[in-house]
Amino acid sequence: MRRLIQKSMAQAMDAAMCGMMNALQWRRRSGVCTRAELDAYLTACEMVTREEFYPVVSFSPRREDIWLRWESPVSSGFAENDKVKVRLYLCDEGFHAPTVIILHALMSASDLGYQRVARWFNAHGWNVAFPHLPFHYSRTPGGYFNGELAITANLIRNAETLRQGVMELRQLMGWLREHGTPEFGLIGTSFGGWNAALLSSLESDLRFVGLVQPIVNVEAAIWENPTAAVMRRLLARQGIGRGESARHAHLSSPMHGKPLCGGDRVILTAGTYDTVSPRTELVALRELWPGATLLDVKQGHFGYSALRETLREIARRLGVADTV
């Protein structure tokens, strides 16, 4: 009975959140890309390697107390979004300590929980960097909701948003290395987990990679995911069908790359009742990334237990007795 109630509550929460996201998709229905635009973009990307798609670009950030700011290497057409902002939480050792980069979920409402996680890492000798991912928090253009433009029926902008975020993260890691950071950890939830998975295929000095219910099967996320029901209708109106977006998988799908640090440093956390990032997809990714650990948590896609269990596994790996 307890399990049935748990499952029903998780499904109800997922359904409510999916409904809200579909409503936002409909709000942005005029911005869908055309079939011709998508075909031209995908054709241009076909021979591009992942390293070429997410290059490291030189930059000159400015540090303002707890914030690091710079101009994005990718222009999105939205001035607010093109101003990168990263919050730094430094421990007593300063930049010579390892740094964990925490990547928030799509439309993350608040960073209060992440602040608590940052304090825990600081207490155990780790710095924390908390970037505002494209179109979120301080980077939300006027007239839009937080994260509303990150994933829409404009598949070209979706791909460029990923490119923008990952390129900025590579810049951040390079700057931290120059200032003495010896190694990194990654924690990403859902959309943030998607970004983290792609980043792990480009950077090797990672002690751990915690992917909390990440989006890993991009084709399924578009054509099966309940959050994308309206997106599918809008794409169909443009004559865009299943299979076309797969031409970009070599650049945007975690299932088409491998972590350079090795699968044994990766933690995949699945929600038993998750309909957005189904457990079956994380099982498939584990098979592609030998050595990766799969954690099962009894929740839907939306909840806090999955992150908490991921942090417990990270604490165990770091040899720390207490948890967040």
Side-chain angles (χ1 to χ4, degrees), residues 83-191:
K83 299 182 186 304
V84 187
K85 190 173 181 180
V86 179
R87 182 168 181 176
L88 300 174
Y89 299 83
L90 300 182
C91 66
D92 293 340
E93 295 180 37
F95 287 111
H96 292 285
T99 298
V100 58
I101 301 173
I102 299 178
L103 305 178
H104 58 76
L106 182 70
M107 301 185 71
S108 172
S110 170
D111 66 351
L112 291 178
Y114 295 118
Q115 289 182 36
R116 181 184 174 197
V117 174
R119 289 193 295 270
W120 182 87
F121 273 106
N122 284 170
H124 292 90
W126 281 73
N127 295 325
V128 171
F130 183 77
H132 292 180
L133 292 175
F135 293 114
H136 287 81
Y137 291 107
S138 65
R139 304 177 65 174
T140 304
Y144 295 89
F145 292 111
N146 174 44
E148 181 180 2
L149 291 173
I151 299 294
T152 69
N154 188 333
L155 299 185
I156 298 172
R157 185 168 61 218
N158 295 353
E160 287 296 292
T161 297
L162 278 175
R163 188 167 77 94
Q164 184 175 40
V166 174
M167 285 177 65
E168 292 164 3
L169 292 169
R170 298 195 76 187
Q171 288 181 310
L172 173 63
M173 291 179 72
W175 185 87
L176 288 169
R177 285 191 197 99
E178 291 175 0
H179 285 73
T181 300
E183 64 177 339
F184 298 87
L186 278 179
I187 299 174
T189 299
S190 191
F191 176 69

Side-chain angles (χ1 to χ4, degrees), residues 201-215:
S201 71
L202 297 159
E203 303 288 349
S204 60
D205 48 349
L206 299 168
R207 174 92 71 89
F208 58 84
V209 179
L211 304 180
V212 186
Q213 299 172 282
I215 302 301

Side-chain angles (χ1 to χ4, degrees), residues 116-117 119-125 308-324:
R116 181 184 174 197
V117 174
R119 289 193 295 270
W120 182 87
F121 273 106
N122 284 170
H124 292 90
R308 185 164 55 245
E309 291 304 313
T310 305
L311 293 169
R312 282 179 179 159
E313 175 62 17
I314 291 171
R316 186 190 68 78
R317 294 184 180 208
L318 296 179
V320 177
D322 64 319
T323 56
V324 182

